[in-house]
Amino acid sequence: MPAQRILSGMRPTGRLHIGHLSVLENWIELQKDNQCFFFAADWHALTTAFEHTAGIKDNVREMIADWLTVGLDPEKSVIFVQSDVPETAELHLLFSMIIPLGWLERVPTYKDQVQQFKQQGRDIMTYGFLGYPVLQAADILLYRADAVPVGEDQLPHLELCRELARRFNHLYRPIFPEPQAKLSRVSVLPGVDGRKMSKSYANDIGLMAERDEIRGRVNAMITDPARIRKTDPGHPEVCVVHKYHGIYTGHRLAEIEEDCRAGRVGCVACKKLLAESLEAVLAPLRERRRQITSRPGYIEEVLAEGARRARAEAAKTMTMVREAMQI
């Protein structure tokens, strides 16, 4: 397959947890043979956290350090911060002039998320939150991306982005490609309590967790509630620990399942094995991160160069947009 232009980003929520690892591993694979743009979406963070902005800059730095630690390469990929490219805001404004309001109101996640936040006592019915997909489309189309790595929950947003590209191309001049979804098999890890992994639930395992923290988190994992004694037959399909073994101890998964079902291994021993498997994965990352963060100014240099390269591409797009719109 010929090289594609890929665009993806993350909101800066601080240091990442292991639930993000499979997403980043996918990005690392993509950067080998494609032209990739990866950005910290600090403006997107404002759509749901506009009243809490003090930590955003620090969170960006922490997140980028994690990206570099895992293996994103600034020589191969353009790594930048969304707000360092003001052309994004200009394109977002121009798109907002042509997108029908009904398109935004029918996005499936909009009403669901408004309701979820309302239950938490928070009102996010703002213009910015309603227009989140327009800003997302500007992020993608500004770099004329061919493909966007997304989860299935983001497919409606990407379809709206394609519709917006078609509308612009029809109204003015064909400029934008219609970016395709690049669905990949991403390992979805539950939190230690079985719910979705999230720092807000305090059920995550940090990507840079130390050995004692790993052990404590694994010991807190929910196991088979029907299993009282070590010798009781287990049901690994209902056990959070087993889901982790499937990813991090896969070479022994059949053996672990068999011993669990036969009551030959208890939950304590099973958790100990998982903690060792996770430590083997995370220990090298902790060391690499220490090396990266010990280089004064390195992260700032990466982001400055990324912003320069991103703005150069963005300027080309905006020149074409202004000419097409005759403004």
Side-chain angles (χ1 to χ4, degrees):
M1 178 181 293
Q4 292 184 306
R5 181 170 290 187
I6 307 291
L7 185 287
S8 195
M10 286 185 187
R11 298 206 299 178
T13 58
R15 296 175 71 168
L16 304 181
H17 55 64
I18 60 173
H20 295 107
L21 190 54
S22 57
V23 174
L24 292 174
E25 288 171 342
N26 181 43
W27 287 7
I28 291 163
E29 192 63 28
L30 288 171
Q31 77 178 356
K32 292 179 181 177
D33 302 309
N34 299 284
Q35 184 182 17
C36 293
F37 293 76
F38 298 121
F39 69 98
D42 56 341
W43 281 341
H44 281 300
L46 298 176
T47 58
T48 55
F50 52 84
E51 70 274 58
H52 302 296
T53 60
I56 290 178
K57 286 187 176 180
D58 287 340
N59 285 346
V60 166
R61 192 180 190 282
E62 293 296 328
M63 186 174 73
I64 297 299
D66 284 343
W67 288 7
L68 298 172
T69 294
V70 172
L72 280 190
D73 186 346
E75 297 295 323
K76 297 178 180 178
S77 298
V78 180
I79 301 172
F80 64 103
V81 179
Q82 182 184 34
S83 62
D84 284 341
V85 185
E87 290 86 353
T88 308
E90 182 182 359
L91 187 58
H92 170 234
L93 173 65
L94 296 176
F95 281 163
S96 73
M97 301 300 179
I98 68 171
I99 186 168
L101 185 60
W103 288 14
L104 295 173
E105 291 175 332
R106 75 169 189 243
V107 173
T109 55
Y110 173 67
K111 290 182 180 178
D112 290 344
Q113 288 185 315
V114 166
Q115 188 61 33
Q116 288 174 19
F117 278 96
K118 188 175 181 180
Q119 291 170 358
Q120 299 171 18
R122 297 178 58 199
D123 181 7
I124 59 167
M125 292 189 67
T126 63
Y127 167 77
F129 185 70
L130 178 64
Y132 180 104
V134 184
L135 181 56
Q136 194 173 56
D139 289 322
I140 297 166
L141 298 177
L142 186 61
Y143 305 100
R144 305 185 306 284
D146 301 304
V148 183
V150 292
E152 290 191 9
D153 61 326
Q154 286 291 307
L155 288 177
H157 284 189
L158 189 58
E159 178 55 33
L160 187 145
C161 175
R162 285 196 292 269
E163 290 179 346
L164 191 49
R166 286 194 290 269
R167 183 170 175 82
F168 183 98
N169 292 343
H170 174 72
L171 286 172
Y172 305 111
R173 184 190 307 162
I175 289 177
F176 298 113
E178 295 182 23
Q180 301 303 304
K182 189 171 278 292
L183 288 170
S184 57
R185 187 159 182 250
V186 174
S187 303
V188 178
L189 281 173
V192 299
D193 58 1
R195 294 184 294 173
K196 177 183 177 181
M197 184 178 291
S198 171
K199 282 183 289 188
S200 62
Y201 294 153
N203 66 354
D204 61 310
I205 299 175
L207 193 58
M208 301 300 150
E210 298 285 348
R211 180 186 292 271
D212 287 346
E213 182 184 347
I214 294 171
R215 186 183 300 116
R217 290 298 204 186
V218 171
N219 286 341
M221 284 183 178
I222 294 175
T223 52
D224 181 357
R227 196 173 188 197
I228 308 302
R229 294 175 295 274
K230 173 183 174 180
T231 54
D232 289 344
H235 305 84
E237 62 275 4
V238 302
C239 177
V240 171
V241 177
H242 177 259
K243 290 181 173 65
Y244 278 74
H245 274 308
I247 297 170
Y248 295 104
T249 324
H251 63 291
R252 293 185 56 183
L253 187 61
E255 171 195 345
I256 292 167
E257 285 186 0
E258 185 179 337
D259 286 346
C260 176
R261 294 187 190 281
R264 289 194 294 266
V265 62
C267 294
V268 172
C270 198
K271 287 181 174 181
K272 182 179 179 182
L273 176 60
L274 176 59
E276 292 170 353
S277 297
L278 289 175
E279 171 64 12
V281 172
L282 300 186
L285 296 183
R286 293 197 302 265
E287 178 56 32
R288 177 165 167 75
R289 196 180 201 277
R290 280 191 282 268
Q291 294 172 3
I292 287 172
T293 55
S294 67
R295 298 171 60 180
Y298 174 62
I299 294 173
E300 289 72 20
E301 290 173 11
V302 167
L303 292 177
E305 175 61 13
R308 185 193 68 76
R309 294 167 65 189
R311 288 204 67 183
E313 199 58 47
K316 296 177 186 177
T317 301
M318 292 313 301
T319 295
M320 291 188 288
V321 167
R322 296 186 200 106
E323 289 176 353
M325 297 182 72
Q326 302 181 58
I327 57 173

